[in-house]
Each structure stands twice: as C-alpha cells, then as structure tokens.
Amino acid sequence: MNYTVPAIGVRVYDGAINDCDKIIEWCEQQGWNRSRVSGDQNDGVSEIRTSKTLFVPFLSYANVDVIYNMNKTIWTLFDDYAKYWDFSFSDVQHPSIQKYDIGDHYKLHSDSGTGMLRVVSAVAYLNTVEEGGRTVFPHMDIAVEAVEGRVVIFPSDYVYAHEAEAPKSNTKYAAAFWAVP
C-alpha cells in the first residue's frame, strides 16, 4: 500500500480503511462513554480530553466484519512499519474508537509513558472533517487532515507528542491503535 512521509517516522496511508460509514453506524448503535485520561485524579475524566470513546476487541471473530477488517488492515500496516524500522511488537491493544463533536479535543499528549508501554500508534480517520479535526504534531510542525479512510502511523513516544484538534465543521470519528512490545 502506498504512503507519504510528512516527517521522519510518520507514515500517512490514504484509502486504507474501507466501509467507514458502516463502522460509524455500528459504533453509534453501541453507544459511547466519556473519554478518559490515564492517571487523572478525577476518575480519568478531564478537560484535557473531551471526546467520547468506544473500545472494541482487536482481532476477535466476535467483531462484526467491518471492525474485524479495519483491525486486520491496521495489523498489516503495523507489521510493514515494524519490518521497515527493524523492530518487533507482540500485540495490539484494544482499539479505541472516538467521537469528537464540534469543539471536542484531546490536548497535547504522547501515547507511551509510565504504565503505558507502547511502541507504535495509528489513527484511522472514519470520516472527512472539512474544518479542524486534524492530528497535529507541534514539535515537527506537521498536521494530518482527517480524511475518510486515511491512516497515520507514528512512534508512540514523547518525540511524537500530538493533539487531536477540535473539529469546527462536523463531528469527527477516528480509531486509535497501539502496538506493544
């Protein structure tokens, strides 16, 4: 699958995820929970992260086909990325599918740290956001637009700290994945 490299270690794949509308429809039927922040003193609820979340099993035959196929695609992309950068991973944590209503955000953070040993992260965009809704990497001066079917993969460490910019035009749906050693 073809990709672009807007910065060292960051890959962007367009058209990687299919049936995004069906994924969103299935998620809406499941219901959402307020997103949480690990280590936050207020039971994880924080103004750092205001989106809604739905966790799904990773590679489980219990998943509906559209979720299973999305997860399988991410595994393939993680595997390709690991081979290129010559590292290994043993598993992928349960994906977190997020719903960002207009104004919702996730402020600057990294995906790995104390108690969260992750090596690579991926964000799959399930719909196109016309204004706002980008994944911003301020230390690298790049931003990835939320385009339906697009996947961005990057190392999980602090060098690749990023934020989910608030959508301004319409609700944003995205799925986050993390490979672990």
Side-chain angles (χ1 to χ4, degrees):
M1 186 173 299
N2 293 330
Y3 57 87
T4 58
V5 181
I8 295 292
V10 178
R11 285 187 179 185
V12 177
Y13 298 84
D14 281 326
I17 304 298
N18 299 315
D19 297 321
C20 294
D21 56 334
K22 292 177 183 173
I23 295 169
I24 292 169
E25 181 182 326
W26 181 83
C27 291
E28 288 292 349
Q29 293 170 359
Q30 305 313 302
W32 301 92
N33 295 304
R34 172 70 192 265
S35 297
R36 302 203 179 282
V37 176
S38 179
D40 191 86
Q41 300 300 314
N42 192 19
D43 194 29
V45 174
S46 171
E47 288 307 306
I48 292 170
R49 185 178 191 186
T50 59
S51 60
K52 295 167 192 69
T53 298
L54 172 65
F55 285 97
V56 297
F58 187 59
L59 289 179
S60 169
Y61 290 110
N63 283 335
V64 295
D65 286 346
V66 292
I67 299 296
Y68 180 83
N69 292 336
M70 173 180 65
N71 294 349
K72 189 174 169 188
T73 297
I74 296 298
W75 180 275
T76 302
L77 296 178
F78 273 161
D79 190 51
D80 181 59
Y81 187 92
K83 286 176 184 169
Y84 180 84
W85 290 104
D86 194 28
F87 72 90
S88 61
F89 64 96
S90 64
D91 202 2
V92 176
Q93 292 179 318
H94 293 307
S96 169
I97 302 176
Q98 287 99 36
K99 178 180 182 178
Y100 292 88
D101 289 320
I102 293 174
D104 285 349
H105 61 269
Y106 191 178
K107 294 189 178 180
L108 187 65
H109 66 282
S110 63
D111 290 338
S112 188
T114 305
M116 296 185 312
L117 187 56
R118 298 167 171 165
V119 291
V120 178
S121 300
V123 176
Y125 303 101
L126 303 177
N127 69 318
T128 298
V129 178
E130 298 300 327
E131 186 180 354
R134 304 175 305 166
T135 301
V136 179
F137 297 85
H139 303 311
M140 299 182 168
D141 197 29
I142 63 168
V144 179
E145 301 282 336
V147 174
E148 181 177 326
R150 176 177 283 170
V151 174
V152 58
I153 298 180
F154 52 93
S156 301
D157 66 23
Y158 70 93
V159 176
Y160 293 85
H162 55 285
E163 61 183 271
E165 181 181 69
K168 297 177 182 175
S169 58
N170 56 294
T171 298
K172 171 185 167 182
Y173 295 89
F177 302 82
W178 308 277
V180 296

